[in-house]
Structures are given as C-alpha cells and as structure tokens.
Amino acid sequence: MSAAIASLASYGSDSDSENESESKTSIEKVDPDHPDATAHLKPLQSGPTMSLAVLNSAPEVAVKEAVETGIHLDPSLKEVTYNPTYETMFAPEFGPMNPYKSQQMSAPRNMLSGYAEPAHVNDFMFEQQRRTFSTYGYALDPSVDTHEASSCSYIGAVEEAEKNKGLTVFESGQKKPEKRKKVKGGDAGEIDNFLGPWAKYVDEKDVAKPSEEEQKELNEITAKRQKKGRNEDEAPGEEKTILHVKEMYDYQGRSYLHVPQDVGVNLRSTDAPDKCYLPKKQIHVWSGHTKGVSAIRLYPRSGHLLLSCSMDCKIKLWEVYGERRCLRTFIGHSKAVRDICFNNSGTQFLSAAYDRYLKLWDSETGQCISRFTNRKVPYCVKFNPDEDKQSLFVAGMSDKKIVQWDIRTSEVVQEYDRHLGAVNTITFVDENRRFVSTSDDKSLRVWEWDIPVDFKYIAEPSMHSMPAVTLSPNGKWLACQSMDNQILIFGAQNRFRLNKKKIFKGHMVAGYACQVDFSPDMSYVVSGDADGKLNIWDWKTTKLYHRIKAHDKVCISALWHPHETSKVITCGWDGQIKLWD
C-alpha cells in the first residue's frame, strides 16, 4: 500500500505541468481498503510509464457565439458588452407571469396616459392643421407619412378633404360665403356696376331719363345748391343780443358793469381772504342754457358778474350777487361755443366756437365788434394780460397752431407752429412774458411772447394729454388736469419742473377737460369730474377732503370766487350753473 502511494506521489511530481494546464481537473476520493479502489492507479504492464485517467466534474459553459439565439438579457441591464441579435434583445422575459398584471399595466409607458414617442412638429404645421380641422373638419393623420397623400391619410371629414383636395385654411384663403357677397354687392371691383338690390326687377326700357337739355338744367340747379350750402357754412351766424333786465342803467347812469359796494365784500380789494373754508351746501342755481355749459368766467378783479358759454350756441351774462339774474344773452355763433375770455377791464370778451369763428363782443351793449377766422376750429382763446398789449390775443387751433391776432387790423400777426396735435390750453406765466400751451400730442411747451419757437418742451412717456390748465393765485404753480385721472403740478417759474410731491388723485376725469381752480389763500384745490361731483383737496397734504354731488352730468368747470372765503361756482353738461357756500 505504501509502495502504491509512493508511486502516486512520483507520478504527481511528473505530471505537475499537466495539472497546471487543466486547472479544473479533480481527483475523486477513494476508500483505500477497497480492493478495486487503487486498481486504476497501478502502472500498466505494457511499458515502464504509467498514465492516470482524469475526470472533469465542472458543468459545460457554452461560449456566447454558439448560443446567441438562446441567451436572454436582463431587461434592467443598462450596458451590453457584445452585439446581441434582434431576437435576443426582444425575446420574452424569463420568470413566472404576474396573474394580476393587466395588458394596460404591462404596456410600456413613459407618461400617465401611456407611451409617447418623441417627435418634433413644426409650430406652423401644427397650427395649420389645427385651424384646418376646426374650420373644415379634417386634418392630416400624423401617424401616416405625409408624402403618401390619399383618403387614408386624413382624419375627420374625409369626404370634405377629398372635395377640397386636402387644402388647408392658408391655401384655400378662407373664401367668404356667396350670400355675404350678394348682400355686400359683390367684389370691390364691381362697385361701379352695382345698381342696387332692386335692379333685377327694373326693366331698362321703363326707366325715364332726362333729355340733354333737362340734364343740363338739373346740373345747373345742383351746382347752385352746393354753392349756396358752402356759403352758408362759411358765412358767420347773425349776431344779436337780448337784454333781460328792464333798464340797462340805474338812476346814476351806471350799467351792470359797475362794481357794487353793498354786497358785504370789498370787491375792489386786491387782497385775498385770510382763511378759506370748505363749501358745504348749494345756495343758488342759474338755469337758462338749454344744453351743456362749456365754460364759465368771472368778471376780472371784482367777480361780480359771471359769463357762461354753452353748447346751445349762446353766451349769457349773470349776476353773482343780489338777485343773481340773467342780464344779457349774446347770440351769434351757429355751433357750440367752446371758450370765452374777458379782457383786463371786462368791457370786452372773446368767444371761440365750433363754427370756426372767434368773435369780439362788447360786454355792456352786446354788440359784436369784430370776427376772426382762419377756417380752423379754435379750441381756446386768451387775451394778452399786459395792459399795453390788450389789442392782441392768441387762440389754440385744431390744426396744431397757436395763432396771434391783432384786434385793430383783424389780421394774423404771428403763428406758433410746433405742436403735433390740436392745442387745448394757453396760460400766461412769468409776468405775462411767457405762455404755456398744452396739446393733444401729450406735451407741454413754453413760449416767449412773439417768438414762434418754444424754448421749453416737456414730454415724458408716462405723460397724458392735459386739456385744462390753471395758474395758482401766487403765480408759482400750474395745475394741469391729466387724462390719467390726476392733477399734476408744474412749477411756473424758470424750470417748469413737475412737483412729484403734489399729485391730486381720487376723481374720474378721463376724456373730459374739467377745469381746475385754487382757493384764494392757496389752501385748497377744486375740480369737477365725469360723475358730476365737485372734488376738494387740501393743497399741503394732497388729501381729498370733500366730495359733493354737484351735477347730474359731467361737472366741466369749478371756480372759487377770488373775494369769498367759501363760495365756489360749478357748471355742468346738464345746462346748470350752481353756487356753493
């Protein structure tokens, strides 16, 4: 037994190289007491060498090239180190099936409603097909190649698609229905041939036509009528006046222009009241205008008379004290009167109306002294306040110009032509050496008198049109009614800067040129609004103090009496003028 083991050991040493090459060869364990256990270990009788039969117990591993069709890939695998075939990649998964998994659950999906394949559609193409579907009821089937155009490549109204040959809304031009064409009279090119809706019932033979002589006579009559109509439009309205009081002069020979002394207030004084108060109640209504009142002006210095112009083409003069009667009516405009302005003494006033005429009136007699026109509508008119220039006045026109007239010659002596829109207001500042104008072009321009080039131009992107401007009693500030429902304050000396700390809000005026005014002591700012309310703000704090329902329609103007502590006059488009105290 020991000899056999020794021979096995010698064999093992001789066959080391063979064992290294076959690393997976194993030797079975045997029972040394069994007779046949070592029989295969005995050397062969045929030669001096002896060989050992070795068994390989490891399972056979197939090379991957040999079993490409049979191998299965793990579906969660992210990377493969060889090129598998199509059958291998799409072979069914191994393992038991889930009996509770439905077909919908087992379907691959990358979004809540299913599986969306990544695709790119041009925005224009998508919108084109969407509009075509909403208009005609058909669109291209996105799942079919567009090059294979057939009835199968459309979804929706396939018959309509075949009828229209698959035209989209952009290709067909969306032609209008025939019915609308007939109602409108056909194409624009056929307008000369359109004889009206009753033409098909009329026989040409039955239509009576004038002869050549009759036609000639008709043409002459038509021409005369047109010429007459133009002359009527161009001709100024006939001026007349109505005195509403019994006697024009009193026992001393004084007219109503004389300043009264017995009203409890010194109207001749140039000093403003020391302290002003808020008006609380209505104490009088002047009624006489049949349409909306456009503007009101107090008599210069004293304020004992009130001048009003209206859309009923009339101008009226009223008493502010005493019986508060209507003294005189001035009639002479054929269209609504837009603006009025007294001269310094109050003996004359100018009126501007939509009939394109500016007229100079005598306040006492009611006589129309002269007329001015440049065939454009005047929107505002102002006398030069200087005593030595009382024969000159300026008017803002609808043709973007500010025109300066001389009363003595009735001729235009200067034109200020820089605005880009109709001129709305003219306000004299800086001791009447300059004037400020506002326009529909949303700008504010400052001019030197008699120099037709503006030396200051204010226009910001945030600015709105400012159709009403008032100078403060101390001459330092300009209150501008802005169309964004606020009152802006500009400095009236030197720089004309916007005072951002003084902005008055809380009223609705968009679309209306509501006139602003100050109290004589500069304590309050008053303005009407589109709702017919009178709004009163505190000057220092810009707080809205008081609001009164003054008129049924737009309250277009509010004036604080220069000699009274709390008297405010308002006018509105309801045709009434009211006094508040």
Side-chain angles (χ1 to χ4, degrees):
M1 180 67 182
S2 59
I5 294 172
S7 65
L8 179 60
S10 65
Y11 174 75
S13 61
D14 293 336
S15 61
D16 279 343
S17 59
E18 294 178 305
N19 289 340
E20 288 175 2
S21 61
E22 294 182 295
S23 60
K24 292 182 181 180
T25 305
S26 63
I27 301 174
E28 294 181 359
K29 292 183 179 181
V30 295
D31 186 5
D33 298 329
H34 197 277
D36 296 327
T38 58
H40 62 287
L41 299 176
K42 293 180 182 179
L44 296 174
Q45 301 298 326
S46 58
T49 59
M50 184 175 66
S51 63
L52 182 65
V54 181
L55 295 176
N56 187 1
S57 60
E60 288 196 9
V61 179
V63 293
K64 53 181 172 282
E65 289 81 1
V67 288
E68 283 180 345
T69 57
I71 200 165
H72 289 272
L73 292 174
D74 185 0
S76 61
L77 199 64
K78 300 292 183 183
E79 187 178 344
V80 181
T81 56
Y82 65 95
N83 292 333
T85 61
Y86 176 84
E87 287 78 9
T88 303
M89 291 180 67
F90 290 92
E93 292 183 26
F94 267 177
M97 293 182 66
N98 183 356
Y100 302 106
K101 194 171 185 179
S102 64
Q103 185 180 358
Q104 184 178 2
M105 292 168 62
S106 61
R109 50 183 201 166
N110 57 3
M111 56 187 295
L112 192 63
S113 58
Y115 185 80
E117 294 184 358
H120 174 73
V121 181
N122 185 296
D123 287 340
F124 174 76
M125 292 297 295
F126 180 84
E127 188 65 15
Q128 181 189 49
Q129 294 302 321
R130 186 190 69 77
R131 289 190 182 184
T132 304
F133 189 82
S134 63
T135 305
Y136 298 123
Y138 64 84
L140 283 172
D141 189 348
S143 62
V144 178
D145 190 359
T146 54
H147 297 293
E148 302 173 4
S150 66
S151 60
C152 300
S153 60
Y154 291 97
I155 56 173
V158 180
E159 295 179 1
E160 190 71 17
E162 292 175 355
K163 180 181 175 182
N164 292 346
K165 299 180 181 178
L167 292 177
T168 63
V169 286
F170 298 112
E171 294 166 340
S172 62
Q174 286 185 312
K175 293 180 181 178
K176 293 178 181 177
E178 291 294 322
K179 284 185 179 179
R180 290 186 65 183
K181 273 191 174 183
K182 288 178 181 176
V183 172
K184 292 284 183 183
D187 293 331
E190 301 173 3
I191 191 69
D192 294 332
N193 302 326
F194 183 65
L195 302 175
W198 301 101
K200 58 184 178 182
Y201 302 106
V202 179
D203 192 355
E204 284 290 330
K205 297 176 183 177
D206 300 336
V207 177
K209 292 183 179 179
S211 62
E212 291 183 6
E213 293 178 2
E214 290 173 335
Q215 185 65 45
K216 191 176 179 180
E217 192 175 343
L218 282 170
N219 292 340
E220 288 177 4
I221 294 169
T222 308
K224 282 180 183 178
R225 282 180 182 171
Q226 290 175 349
K227 190 176 180 182
K228 185 180 178 184
R230 279 200 303 272
N231 289 342
E232 284 179 354
D233 289 341
E234 291 172 2
E238 182 185 352
E239 296 91 5
K240 60 180 180 178
T241 180
I242 301 170
L243 183 66
H244 298 285
V245 291
K246 289 182 179 179
E247 294 182 2
M248 188 171 168
Y249 302 100
D250 63 2
Y251 70 97
Q252 288 185 335
R254 300 175 300 188
S255 71
Y256 49 70
L257 298 186
H258 176 73
V259 180
Q261 305 293 314
D262 55 348
V263 293
V265 180
N266 184 7
L267 299 180
R268 296 178 185 271
S269 171
T270 57
D271 298 330
D274 294 332
K275 175 67 177 170
C276 290
Y277 304 94
L278 295 175
K280 296 288 176 67
K281 60 181 180 179
Q282 172 189 313
I283 60 173
H284 186 72
V285 178
W286 288 284
S287 56
H289 287 294
T290 56
K291 292 185 180 178
V293 181
S294 308
I296 50 175
R297 298 285 182 267
L298 284 167
Y299 195 80
R301 296 190 181 95
S302 65
H304 72 289
L305 297 177
L306 178 70
L307 189 68
S308 65
C309 63
S310 169
M311 298 175 194
D312 61 5
C313 313
K314 294 175 184 176
I315 303 162
K316 289 181 180 287
L317 191 64
W318 314 81
E319 285 180 325
V320 176
Y321 295 98
E323 298 179 22
R324 301 191 176 102
R325 300 167 296 177
C326 178
L327 299 172
R328 189 181 285 278
T329 301
F330 305 83
I331 303 168
H333 287 288
S334 58
K335 291 186 179 176
V337 186
R338 166 80 186 228
D339 196 18
I340 44 178
C341 179
F342 275 112
N343 64 358
N344 283 1
S345 62
T347 56
Q348 297 175 350
F349 68 87
L350 281 162
S351 62
Y354 285 101
D355 61 1
R356 303 179 183 178
Y357 274 90
L358 293 137
K359 295 191 177 184
L360 181 65
W361 303 82
D362 188 296
S363 306
E364 187 174 341
T365 63
Q367 178 189 356
C368 180
I369 300 167
S370 53
R371 312 175 191 91
F372 312 90
T373 184
N374 69 343
R375 307 309 309 143
K376 297 293 183 292
V377 177
Y379 282 171
C380 58
V381 62
K382 277 284 192 303
F383 271 104
N384 188 314
D386 274 349
E387 290 295 340
D388 59 341
K389 296 187 180 71
Q390 284 289 283
S391 60
L392 300 172
F393 72 88
V394 284
M397 313 301 288
S398 60
D399 64 345
K400 314 171 192 175
K401 293 179 183 178
I402 300 170
V403 183
Q404 181 179 322
W405 267 281
D406 191 326
I407 290 172
R408 296 165 295 189
T409 60
S410 298
E411 291 180 356
V412 174
V413 292
Q414 187 63 273
E415 280 189 352
Y416 305 83
D417 185 12
R418 301 281 284 181
H419 274 295
L420 305 175
V423 182
N424 291 321
T425 67
I426 297 170
T427 311
F428 282 87
V429 295
D430 194 16
E431 296 180 352
N432 309 322
R433 289 193 294 264
R434 299 168 178 168
F435 63 90
V436 177
S437 62
T438 61
S439 165
D440 285 344
D441 62 7
K442 303 179 184 178
S443 72
L444 183 146
R445 293 175 193 259
V446 188
W447 314 77
E448 295 276 0
W449 176 258
D450 225 10
I451 298 175
V453 179
D454 51 324
F455 82 90
K456 186 80 174 177
Y457 170 65
I458 301 169
E460 297 291 337
S462 60
M463 280 176 63
H464 288 68
S465 177
M466 297 180 291
V469 178
T470 303
L471 183 67
S472 66
N474 60 13
K476 292 182 180 179
W477 305 103
L478 283 170
C480 305
Q481 186 78 265
S482 179
M483 285 294 94
D484 56 349
N485 299 321
Q486 55 187 11
I487 298 170
L488 305 179
I489 306 296
F490 288 88
Q493 296 170 335
N494 301 325
R495 298 208 169 187
F496 296 92
R497 281 188 175 175
L498 174 66
N499 188 341
K500 294 183 179 178
K501 293 182 180 178
K502 300 275 190 205
I503 295 177
F504 300 89
K505 299 178 182 177
H507 62 319
M508 175 72 74
V509 288
Y512 301 97
C514 296
Q515 193 66 42
V516 191
D517 201 14
F518 294 86
S519 64
D521 66 344
M522 286 289 295
S523 296
Y524 304 108
V525 176
V526 294
S527 169
D529 67 8
D531 300 324
K533 291 173 183 168
L534 172 64
N535 301 272
I536 306 172
W537 292 266
D538 180 53
W539 167 255
K540 287 185 179 178
T541 63
T542 71
K543 181 183 176 183
L544 181 59
Y545 265 0
H546 200 39
R547 180 179 283 164
I548 305 169
K549 178 64 175 174
H551 294 272
D552 295 332
K553 295 183 180 178
V554 182
C555 180
I556 203 68
S557 184
L559 290 179
W560 198 302
H561 197 286
H563 297 289
E564 297 282 354
T565 56
S566 60
K567 281 190 170 61
V568 177
I569 303 168
T570 62
C571 69
W573 283 8
D574 56 1
Q576 292 185 332
I577 305 166
K578 296 184 180 182
L579 178 62
W580 303 84
D581 193 7

